[in-house]
């Protein structure tokens, strides 16, 4: 799965499933992801304590509707899973429109769109519908039915590992708890899958761990179950809203100057983009960057969280995401990984004056010209900053050279025995 | 005393008194301040060594004039105490205008204003007058009389303490050594008195110590007598020129990033204002910020020291200060104290991932909406930055939220057992 | 040698000599420098190991030409030493133009200029000529002759020391390896000689060491032979391109905030100038700033390295450098040395409050005026920042006063026993 079109096809395939933070919709999603990349599946029982939280009952839903006196379904879960408030308790009742109304959610400003609402931790029920539908409902008696279950079960998540040359890890995390919403976050899932496939085609330096988890409770569960090995996580990106037509936005980690921040800012520097400061709201960077962990994890989106009117509405459908935008997001991530994987600190083994590059065939023999070649400049820069304090991205930024040239210079110098990692 | 009008009335009442760095005019000023707020009075004997300085003889003056051959007083201390150079030694002589002239001070560029001059530490005498008066003086013989005394006595200053919940102190310092000058510094005195009254109405966190002292020698005397407890002084403001119609100016402490600097810059950010870097000139911040103390003490003025033509002239009279300006200065100081008093560092007791705010009633149960409430955002920010390194003002600045919202969030989280101070 | 005209005369005298990184041209250059300032001469044998390098064979050349079939010299070393590639091996051959052509170097974009080329470390030979000359050469047979020797000998360099009051050193380094190129670097040599003479006229604080060495291998040789005393080198400037008509450019040391960087930026602040960040290319700052040394050594030029079309061509002749520009470079260096020599850290011996300057005659006795004198302000600033952390240049920058005023204040305070170094 390499092209934007292929990623878009995955978005379309995942779109109809009714996901939530638990339940069979999540499992079906992980099944489909597993068709592309092998997934380690985890099922964490209801009631498990994860830090300050408890894994909630598992929610499943088979049917839900509001029908009028004639039995006609005026709101129907079968048409869109957005119509039911996520985690709604079961309901089977007849009530007047007046009684029903507090349970109905609309977007008055966007009268033809259905909003997305949930109530995970407070028992409640409700329906989401367009303002137009609501306005057209006559007074009268309605049959209200939600055929859902909230019962002991499991929270499900999947992990995919691309093994690297070292055990140090980069995590790429996506939430898989949103139902029929395409940019948030099916596009993120599709780009993550493609990135995993691309990385596996090489032999990356870092071990890359892809996490497909429900938002908040999933990330907290993963962190609670992986505390003992969290020090392996050196860098990470939370990926969401990866397919809309807006410019890319990188939101810095809490640290603000973590290596992942510097890498993504460098990759984005040549494109239209935005850099956002960390805030403890948004996606699961909230958890990775909580003060007890404070990991070097940022978030890459196109238009960020809540920054587009279609956010959390029925208008965030597959048409809202573009194959080209997903391909662009993927390209930036691949470039970032390629830099991250090569971004080391070197020590100059000949630090007193410059070593004689010429006798090693690394320097032009004809002197006097004013056009010092980029490769030679890159070697001089690496040698000069190979003091153990500067990594190759520092050298790149300070020299104004290309990272590739700097990295190639470091390799040539290492091969010549002039620097060591 | 709450209103600008009441503060202005105090300025007018204090205006006629002949103050200097010692003498009965200072005592009379402290008497009047003591009618509004209780003052601890200190009398430090002439000759007392205070660091590198010695408390000088006490100066008092009863009368002074220059009279012409007809006995008509052409310069008369009874009309304005500015007419006599402060600390003038006694004189009783008859002399020609030519002999007198080196002792006469005028402002040629402001021919109708009388300057303010002193000679505290070098025995001298002189008169200040308008250029117009000087120009009109005929040659001839003049009777010159200064009925002053320079004798062993005391340096007087007053302290008023508003007790707080902790012994750590905030000092608010005013100079009380200027004679008939309204903005410099009767307006400062009036605002300080009002601030003390306002703080006493609550129960502040810090202990607030108000210092009414002569400039330089008074501050040095206070510091010399309070060395043993100077570590209690956590913050401070030197208050002067508090009533002219110009914008507020905050001059940073020597440290430049002391907490008081951050607080006042935050409070002023929403208003027209100026921020000035520290310089070792101006008011008694010079002494508090000397390198041996280096206290977190800045200076709040409206138009700063020497920044207005009326400075140190007879034009700095009660008309030059405005009730509204004094009320505005007071309001800023009250807001600054309110922030300073609540600006703590907190530690997150649940730092691994976010704690579950919802189960504590601190978070909306209905999810999916894009308008996260400010109170919730404030709690997330406080939790995220409650690492012992960030104070609430840091949280405020980084989040862009209101300090009040951040402070309320911290209180709610503390009450819920999620953070501790 | 004080005037720009005198410096220009030295440039003209040195211009015809055929210098390289070794050989009699260097020795003749040192002879002439030695007529102005005494030089310690060093001769380092071929084959000496200096860090990663080896001192190369010594190169000398007596004659070289390309002659046509009629015996007419179409390229002649006697006309300009630029015509032969530096370090050319001996050649005596007859060849066609086609065979000769790979050994001919021109500047197609500057058809009337001769380029400067070298091949120090790879055995090679060649001629440099104008494109116009090359274009006019008919096909045919040519007599090619380079009467050079590459043999065991020495690398020569010279040192001149202006003794200071302390053993700590400032180095001023010039390369002396370029043949007939005026701005690069005869102007640098002339300015260095003048600076040495000017410094010797006073008694500087620092010991100033002037280094006249071939580029790269000379600096590396000097560093290798002076490792044991390199910690004495506190500051330094590499001087080159000191005479063109462009603005002065200061290139920062690798540290970027070394004292020499601050001093030169301060001196240049009032003039049109450029500040360049360090890069590991250019002149011998490359060696002094290699990570094993990381000395506080910057580089002063007018138009920097390779920044003018005449660079490394026959157009860099004595007409290209201006007496006024050399005088200006000298003036800036003298001012920088004057600041460097006085830039100390002081400790306030009376740090609690201000000391009483008045009783020491250091402060005006008449108070109240708003025009505090600069001398008094400078004393207050020095006292306030005399905490051992700030040097006088910090005081100058923070106060906005003149360095001379600040330095004079420090001296007055030291003489009064109020501060110590």
């Amino acid at each position: 799965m390499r092209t934007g079109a292929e990623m878009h096809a995955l978005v379309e395939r995942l779109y109809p499933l009714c996901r939530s933070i638990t339940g069979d919709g999540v499992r079906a999603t992980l099944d489909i992801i597993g068709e592309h990349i092998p997934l380690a599946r985890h099922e964490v029982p209801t009631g498990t304590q994860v830090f300050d939280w408890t894994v909630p009952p598992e929610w499943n839903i088979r049917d839900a509707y509001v029908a009028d006196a004639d039995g006609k379904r005026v709101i129907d879960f079968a048409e869109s899973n957005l119509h039911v408030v996520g985690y709604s308790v079961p309901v089977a009742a007849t009530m007047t429109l007046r009684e029903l109304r507090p349970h109905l959610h609309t977007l008055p400003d966007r009268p033809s769109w259905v909003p997305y609402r949930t109530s995970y931790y407070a028992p409640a029920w409700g329906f989401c519908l367009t303002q137009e539908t609501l306005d057209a409902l006559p007074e009268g008696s309605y049959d209200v039915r939600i055929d859902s279950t909230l019962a002991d079960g499991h929270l499900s998540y999947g992990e995919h590992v691309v093994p690297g040359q070292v055990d140090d890890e980069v995590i790429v995390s996506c939430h898989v708890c949103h139902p029929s919403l395409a940019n948030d976050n099916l596009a993120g899932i599709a780009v993550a899958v493609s990135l995993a496939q691309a990385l596996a085609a090489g032999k990356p330096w870092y071990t890359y761990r892809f996490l497909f988890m429900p938002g908040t409770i999933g990330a907290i569960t993963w962190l609670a179950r992986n505390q003992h090995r969290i020090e392996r996580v050196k860098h990470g990106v939370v990926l969401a809203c990866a397919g809309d037509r807006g410019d890319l936005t990188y939101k810095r980690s809490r640290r603000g100057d973590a290596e992942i921040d510097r890498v993504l800012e460098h990759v984005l520097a040549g494109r239209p983009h935005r850099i956002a400061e960390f805030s403890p709201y948004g996606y699961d960077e909230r958890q990775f960057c909580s003060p007890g962990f404070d990991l070097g994890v940022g978030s890459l989106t196109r238009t960020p969280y809540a920054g587009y009117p279609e956010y959390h509405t029925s208008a965030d459908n597959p048409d809202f995401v573009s194959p080209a935008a997903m391909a662009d997001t993927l390209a930036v991530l691949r470039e970032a990984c390629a830099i991250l994987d090569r971004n080391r600190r070197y020590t100059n083994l000949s630090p007193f004056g410059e070593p004689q590059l010429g006798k090693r065939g690394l320097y032009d023999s004809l002197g006097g010209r004013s056009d010092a070649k980029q490769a030679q400049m890159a070697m001089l820069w690496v040698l000069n900053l190979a003091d153990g304090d500067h990594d190759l991205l520092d050298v790149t930024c300070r020299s104004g050279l290309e990272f590739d040239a700097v990295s190639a210079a470091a390799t040539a110098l290492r091969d010549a025995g002039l620097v060591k990692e």
Side-chain angles (χ1 to χ4, degrees), chain A residues 30-41 158-163 193 196-197 200 208 210 212:
Chain A
L30 296 178
D31 287 344
I32 293 171
I33 295 172
E35 292 175 19
H36 294 85
I37 52 175
L39 279 193
R41 305 277 290 263
E159 290 185 274
H160 170 75
V161 171
V162 181
V193 168
Q197 290 176 325
Y208 283 79
F210 289 80
F212 299 93

PDB file of all heavy atoms in Angstrom, chain A residues 30-41 158-163 193 196-197 200 208 210 212:
ATOM      1  N   LEU A  30      -9.151  -3.645  13.672  1.00  0.00           N
ATOM      2  CA  LEU A  30      -7.822  -4.260  13.828  1.00  0.00           C
ATOM      3  C   LEU A  30      -7.666  -5.442  12.864  1.00  0.00           C
ATOM      4  O   LEU A  30      -6.579  -5.674  12.335  1.00  0.00           O
ATOM      5  CB  LEU A  30      -7.614  -4.714  15.279  1.00  0.00           C
ATOM      6  CG  LEU A  30      -7.597  -3.590  16.327  1.00  0.00           C
ATOM      7  CD1 LEU A  30      -7.439  -4.179  17.740  1.00  0.00           C
ATOM      8  CD2 LEU A  30      -6.485  -2.582  16.060  1.00  0.00           C
ATOM      9  N   ASP A  31      -8.785  -6.184  12.624  1.00  0.00           N
ATOM     10  CA  ASP A  31      -8.720  -7.282  11.649  1.00  0.00           C
ATOM     11  C   ASP A  31      -8.276  -6.764  10.278  1.00  0.00           C
ATOM     12  O   ASP A  31      -7.420  -7.354   9.613  1.00  0.00           O
ATOM     13  CB  ASP A  31     -10.097  -7.944  11.489  1.00  0.00           C
ATOM     14  CG  ASP A  31     -10.493  -8.793  12.695  1.00  0.00           C
ATOM     15  OD1 ASP A  31      -9.600  -9.121  13.517  1.00  0.00           O
ATOM     16  OD2 ASP A  31     -11.693  -9.102  12.824  1.00  0.00           O
ATOM     17  N   ILE A  32      -8.892  -5.686   9.861  1.00  0.00           N
ATOM     18  CA  ILE A  32      -8.573  -5.156   8.519  1.00  0.00           C
ATOM     19  C   ILE A  32      -7.146  -4.606   8.475  1.00  0.00           C
ATOM     20  O   ILE A  32      -6.400  -4.840   7.533  1.00  0.00           O
ATOM     21  CB  ILE A  32      -9.619  -4.087   8.118  1.00  0.00           C
ATOM     22  CG1 ILE A  32     -10.982  -4.761   7.917  1.00  0.00           C
ATOM     23  CG2 ILE A  32      -9.175  -3.341   6.858  1.00  0.00           C
ATOM     24  CD1 ILE A  32     -12.148  -3.796   7.739  1.00  0.00           C
ATOM     25  N   ILE A  33      -6.739  -3.887   9.513  1.00  0.00           N
ATOM     26  CA  ILE A  33      -5.351  -3.416   9.565  1.00  0.00           C
ATOM     27  C   ILE A  33      -4.415  -4.624   9.485  1.00  0.00           C
ATOM     28  O   ILE A  33      -3.397  -4.602   8.773  1.00  0.00           O
ATOM     29  CB  ILE A  33      -5.095  -2.605  10.858  1.00  0.00           C
ATOM     30  CG1 ILE A  33      -5.922  -1.325  10.852  1.00  0.00           C
ATOM     31  CG2 ILE A  33      -3.600  -2.286  11.026  1.00  0.00           C
ATOM     32  CD1 ILE A  33      -5.898  -0.545  12.172  1.00  0.00           C
ATOM     33  N   GLY A  34      -4.790  -5.688  10.199  1.00  0.00           N
ATOM     34  CA  GLY A  34      -3.971  -6.902  10.231  1.00  0.00           C
ATOM     35  C   GLY A  34      -3.842  -7.581   8.878  1.00  0.00           C
ATOM     36  O   GLY A  34      -2.937  -8.404   8.678  1.00  0.00           O
ATOM     37  N   GLU A  35      -4.715  -7.246   7.963  1.00  0.00           N
ATOM     38  CA  GLU A  35      -4.553  -7.791   6.612  1.00  0.00           C
ATOM     39  C   GLU A  35      -3.354  -7.156   5.906  1.00  0.00           C
ATOM     40  O   GLU A  35      -2.801  -7.726   4.973  1.00  0.00           O
ATOM     41  CB  GLU A  35      -5.812  -7.537   5.779  1.00  0.00           C
ATOM     42  CG  GLU A  35      -7.014  -8.337   6.258  1.00  0.00           C
ATOM     43  CD  GLU A  35      -8.275  -7.952   5.484  1.00  0.00           C
ATOM     44  OE1 GLU A  35      -8.149  -7.372   4.374  1.00  0.00           O
ATOM     45  OE2 GLU A  35      -9.378  -8.216   5.993  1.00  0.00           O
ATOM     46  N   HIS A  36      -2.984  -5.950   6.352  1.00  0.00           N
ATOM     47  CA  HIS A  36      -1.873  -5.228   5.716  1.00  0.00           C
ATOM     48  C   HIS A  36      -0.556  -5.396   6.460  1.00  0.00           C
ATOM     49  O   HIS A  36       0.510  -5.479   5.855  1.00  0.00           O
ATOM     50  CB  HIS A  36      -2.198  -3.731   5.620  1.00  0.00           C
ATOM     51  CG  HIS A  36      -3.334  -3.425   4.696  1.00  0.00           C
ATOM     52  ND1 HIS A  36      -4.658  -3.473   5.084  1.00  0.00           N
ATOM     53  CD2 HIS A  36      -3.328  -3.124   3.378  1.00  0.00           C
ATOM     54  CE1 HIS A  36      -5.425  -3.166   4.056  1.00  0.00           C
ATOM     55  NE2 HIS A  36      -4.641  -2.945   2.995  1.00  0.00           N
ATOM     56  N   ILE A  37      -0.621  -5.361   7.753  1.00  0.00           N
ATOM     57  CA  ILE A  37       0.604  -5.500   8.562  1.00  0.00           C
ATOM     58  C   ILE A  37       0.262  -6.392   9.749  1.00  0.00           C
ATOM     59  O   ILE A  37      -0.828  -6.279  10.328  1.00  0.00           O
ATOM     60  CB  ILE A  37       1.122  -4.130   9.064  1.00  0.00           C
ATOM     61  CG1 ILE A  37       0.007  -3.338   9.773  1.00  0.00           C
ATOM     62  CG2 ILE A  37       1.738  -3.317   7.943  1.00  0.00           C
ATOM     63  CD1 ILE A  37       0.467  -2.032  10.397  1.00  0.00           C
ATOM     64  N   PRO A  38       1.141  -7.314  10.128  1.00  0.00           N
ATOM     65  CA  PRO A  38       0.833  -8.203  11.252  1.00  0.00           C
ATOM     66  C   PRO A  38       0.653  -7.399  12.533  1.00  0.00           C
ATOM     67  O   PRO A  38       1.441  -6.479  12.811  1.00  0.00           O
ATOM     68  CB  PRO A  38       2.050  -9.125  11.335  1.00  0.00           C
ATOM     69  CG  PRO A  38       3.114  -8.502  10.511  1.00  0.00           C
ATOM     70  CD  PRO A  38       2.459  -7.621   9.518  1.00  0.00           C
ATOM     71  N   LEU A  39      -0.384  -7.722  13.291  1.00  0.00           N
ATOM     72  CA  LEU A  39      -0.696  -7.003  14.519  1.00  0.00           C
ATOM     73  C   LEU A  39      -0.622  -7.934  15.712  1.00  0.00           C
ATOM     74  O   LEU A  39      -1.186  -9.038  15.682  1.00  0.00           O
ATOM     75  CB  LEU A  39      -2.105  -6.425  14.471  1.00  0.00           C
ATOM     76  CG  LEU A  39      -2.361  -5.123  13.740  1.00  0.00           C
ATOM     77  CD1 LEU A  39      -3.754  -4.625  14.111  1.00  0.00           C
ATOM     78  CD2 LEU A  39      -1.314  -4.071  14.085  1.00  0.00           C
ATOM     79  N   ALA A  40       0.057  -7.512  16.754  1.00  0.00           N
ATOM     80  CA  ALA A  40      -0.091  -8.179  18.057  1.00  0.00           C
ATOM     81  C   ALA A  40      -1.359  -7.612  18.676  1.00  0.00           C
ATOM     82  O   ALA A  40      -1.478  -6.381  18.811  1.00  0.00           O
ATOM     83  CB  ALA A  40       1.124  -7.909  18.926  1.00  0.00           C
ATOM     84  N   ARG A  41      -2.319  -8.478  19.001  1.00  0.00           N
ATOM     85  CA  ARG A  41      -3.604  -8.011  19.524  1.00  0.00           C
ATOM     86  C   ARG A  41      -3.629  -8.155  21.040  1.00  0.00           C
ATOM     87  O   ARG A  41      -3.166  -9.145  21.585  1.00  0.00           O
ATOM     88  CB  ARG A  41      -4.739  -8.832  18.906  1.00  0.00           C
ATOM     89  CG  ARG A  41      -4.749  -8.852  17.387  1.00  0.00           C
ATOM     90  CD  ARG A  41      -5.446  -7.613  16.877  1.00  0.00           C
ATOM     91  NE  ARG A  41      -6.854  -7.702  17.177  1.00  0.00           N
ATOM     92  CZ  ARG A  41      -7.791  -8.133  16.309  1.00  0.00           C
ATOM     93  NH1 ARG A  41      -7.444  -8.476  15.074  1.00  0.00           N
ATOM     94  NH2 ARG A  41      -9.042  -8.201  16.667  1.00  0.00           N
ATOM     95  N   GLY A 158      -4.039  -2.912  19.152  1.00  0.00           N
ATOM     96  CA  GLY A 158      -3.080  -3.669  18.352  1.00  0.00           C
ATOM     97  C   GLY A 158      -1.745  -2.968  18.271  1.00  0.00           C
ATOM     98  O   GLY A 158      -1.678  -1.734  18.289  1.00  0.00           O
ATOM     99  N   GLU A 159      -0.715  -3.766  18.165  1.00  0.00           N
ATOM    100  CA  GLU A 159       0.652  -3.231  18.032  1.00  0.00           C
ATOM    101  C   GLU A 159       1.321  -3.901  16.845  1.00  0.00           C
ATOM    102  O   GLU A 159       1.171  -5.109  16.630  1.00  0.00           O
ATOM    103  CB  GLU A 159       1.493  -3.552  19.274  1.00  0.00           C
ATOM    104  CG  GLU A 159       1.104  -2.815  20.515  1.00  0.00           C
ATOM    105  CD  GLU A 159       2.071  -3.118  21.669  1.00  0.00           C
ATOM    106  OE1 GLU A 159       1.847  -4.127  22.361  1.00  0.00           O
ATOM    107  OE2 GLU A 159       3.030  -2.353  21.866  1.00  0.00           O
ATOM    108  N   HIS A 160       2.076  -3.117  16.118  1.00  0.00           N
ATOM    109  CA  HIS A 160       2.872  -3.664  15.023  1.00  0.00           C
ATOM    110  C   HIS A 160       4.283  -3.143  15.171  1.00  0.00           C
ATOM    111  O   HIS A 160       4.485  -1.925  15.314  1.00  0.00           O
ATOM    112  CB  HIS A 160       2.307  -3.227  13.667  1.00  0.00           C
ATOM    113  CG  HIS A 160       3.233  -3.560  12.524  1.00  0.00           C
ATOM    114  ND1 HIS A 160       3.376  -4.842  12.051  1.00  0.00           N
ATOM    115  CD2 HIS A 160       4.077  -2.784  11.801  1.00  0.00           C
ATOM    116  CE1 HIS A 160       4.275  -4.835  11.050  1.00  0.00           C
ATOM    117  NE2 HIS A 160       4.700  -3.598  10.882  1.00  0.00           N
ATOM    118  N   VAL A 161       5.253  -4.021  15.149  1.00  0.00           N
ATOM    119  CA  VAL A 161       6.637  -3.622  15.348  1.00  0.00           C
ATOM    120  C   VAL A 161       7.442  -3.840  14.071  1.00  0.00           C
ATOM    121  O   VAL A 161       7.409  -4.927  13.485  1.00  0.00           O
ATOM    122  CB  VAL A 161       7.267  -4.402  16.519  1.00  0.00           C
ATOM    123  CG1 VAL A 161       8.775  -4.136  16.590  1.00  0.00           C
ATOM    124  CG2 VAL A 161       6.598  -4.023  17.822  1.00  0.00           C
ATOM    125  N   VAL A 162       8.142  -2.807  13.640  1.00  0.00           N
ATOM    126  CA  VAL A 162       9.138  -2.951  12.575  1.00  0.00           C
ATOM    127  C   VAL A 162      10.490  -3.012  13.279  1.00  0.00           C
ATOM    128  O   VAL A 162      10.934  -2.000  13.841  1.00  0.00           O
ATOM    129  CB  VAL A 162       9.105  -1.762  11.600  1.00  0.00           C
ATOM    130  CG1 VAL A 162      10.142  -1.966  10.490  1.00  0.00           C
ATOM    131  CG2 VAL A 162       7.717  -1.597  11.015  1.00  0.00           C
ATOM    132  N   PRO A 163      11.119  -4.194  13.286  1.00  0.00           N
ATOM    133  CA  PRO A 163      12.340  -4.302  14.063  1.00  0.00           C
ATOM    134  C   PRO A 163      13.455  -3.448  13.484  1.00  0.00           C
ATOM    135  O   PRO A 163      13.582  -3.316  12.268  1.00  0.00           O
ATOM    136  CB  PRO A 163      12.687  -5.789  14.002  1.00  0.00           C
ATOM    137  CG  PRO A 163      11.899  -6.344  12.881  1.00  0.00           C
ATOM    138  CD  PRO A 163      10.737  -5.447  12.616  1.00  0.00           C
ATOM    139  N   VAL A 193      -0.284   2.715   8.499  1.00  0.00           N
ATOM    140  CA  VAL A 193      -0.088   1.400   7.894  1.00  0.00           C
ATOM    141  C   VAL A 193       0.924   1.491   6.746  1.00  0.00           C
ATOM    142  O   VAL A 193       1.850   0.671   6.634  1.00  0.00           O
ATOM    143  CB  VAL A 193      -1.440   0.822   7.418  1.00  0.00           C
ATOM    144  CG1 VAL A 193      -1.233  -0.392   6.522  1.00  0.00           C
ATOM    145  CG2 VAL A 193      -2.314   0.472   8.615  1.00  0.00           C
ATOM    146  N   ALA A 196       4.441   1.964   8.079  1.00  0.00           N
ATOM    147  CA  ALA A 196       4.989   0.708   8.608  1.00  0.00           C
ATOM    148  C   ALA A 196       5.500  -0.163   7.465  1.00  0.00           C
ATOM    149  O   ALA A 196       6.588  -0.753   7.548  1.00  0.00           O
ATOM    150  CB  ALA A 196       3.929  -0.022   9.428  1.00  0.00           C
ATOM    151  N   GLN A 197       4.721  -0.234   6.400  1.00  0.00           N
ATOM    152  CA  GLN A 197       5.142  -1.055   5.255  1.00  0.00           C
ATOM    153  C   GLN A 197       6.422  -0.492   4.624  1.00  0.00           C
ATOM    154  O   GLN A 197       7.330  -1.245   4.264  1.00  0.00           O
ATOM    155  CB  GLN A 197       4.022  -1.113   4.221  1.00  0.00           C
ATOM    156  CG  GLN A 197       2.830  -1.925   4.704  1.00  0.00           C
ATOM    157  CD  GLN A 197       1.677  -1.907   3.719  1.00  0.00           C
ATOM    158  OE1 GLN A 197       1.446  -0.891   3.049  1.00  0.00           O
ATOM    159  NE2 GLN A 197       0.954  -3.020   3.641  1.00  0.00           N
ATOM    160  N   ALA A 200       9.455  -1.218   6.799  1.00  0.00           N
ATOM    161  CA  ALA A 200       9.831  -2.630   6.798  1.00  0.00           C
ATOM    162  C   ALA A 200      10.631  -2.986   5.555  1.00  0.00           C
ATOM    163  O   ALA A 200      11.401  -3.946   5.557  1.00  0.00           O
ATOM    164  CB  ALA A 200       8.584  -3.500   6.908  1.00  0.00           C
ATOM    165  N   TYR A 208      10.582   0.536  15.279  1.00  0.00           N
ATOM    166  CA  TYR A 208       9.371   1.367  15.162  1.00  0.00           C
ATOM    167  C   TYR A 208       8.182   0.576  15.680  1.00  0.00           C
ATOM    168  O   TYR A 208       7.914  -0.527  15.207  1.00  0.00           O
ATOM    169  CB  TYR A 208       9.142   1.794  13.712  1.00  0.00           C
ATOM    170  CG  TYR A 208      10.073   2.916  13.293  1.00  0.00           C
ATOM    171  CD1 TYR A 208      11.399   2.672  12.948  1.00  0.00           C
ATOM    172  CD2 TYR A 208       9.642   4.247  13.298  1.00  0.00           C
ATOM    173  CE1 TYR A 208      12.263   3.701  12.596  1.00  0.00           C
ATOM    174  CE2 TYR A 208      10.496   5.285  12.940  1.00  0.00           C
ATOM    175  CZ  TYR A 208      11.800   5.005  12.603  1.00  0.00           C
ATOM    176  OH  TYR A 208      12.654   6.028  12.264  1.00  0.00           O
ATOM    177  N   PHE A 210       4.158   0.642  16.104  1.00  0.00           N
ATOM    178  CA  PHE A 210       2.901   1.278  15.695  1.00  0.00           C
ATOM    179  C   PHE A 210       1.807   0.846  16.648  1.00  0.00           C
ATOM    180  O   PHE A 210       1.604  -0.347  16.888  1.00  0.00           O
ATOM    181  CB  PHE A 210       2.557   0.893  14.253  1.00  0.00           C
ATOM    182  CG  PHE A 210       3.482   1.541  13.262  1.00  0.00           C
ATOM    183  CD1 PHE A 210       4.750   1.013  13.012  1.00  0.00           C
ATOM    184  CD2 PHE A 210       3.104   2.704  12.593  1.00  0.00           C
ATOM    185  CE1 PHE A 210       5.622   1.631  12.110  1.00  0.00           C
ATOM    186  CE2 PHE A 210       3.960   3.323  11.693  1.00  0.00           C
ATOM    187  CZ  PHE A 210       5.225   2.790  11.454  1.00  0.00           C
ATOM    188  N   PHE A 212      -2.216   1.032  17.566  1.00  0.00           N
ATOM    189  CA  PHE A 212      -3.587   1.314  17.111  1.00  0.00           C
ATOM    190  C   PHE A 212      -4.486   1.098  18.319  1.00  0.00           C
ATOM    191  O   PHE A 212      -4.810  -0.042  18.662  1.00  0.00           O
ATOM    192  CB  PHE A 212      -3.942   0.387  15.949  1.00  0.00           C
ATOM    193  CG  PHE A 212      -3.036   0.552  14.749  1.00  0.00           C
ATOM    194  CD1 PHE A 212      -1.908  -0.248  14.592  1.00  0.00           C
ATOM    195  CD2 PHE A 212      -3.298   1.532  13.797  1.00  0.00           C
ATOM    196  CE1 PHE A 212      -1.061  -0.095  13.493  1.00  0.00           C
ATOM    197  CE2 PHE A 212      -2.457   1.693  12.691  1.00  0.00           C
ATOM    198  CZ  PHE A 212      -1.336   0.891  12.541  1.00  0.00           C
TER     199      PHE A 212
END
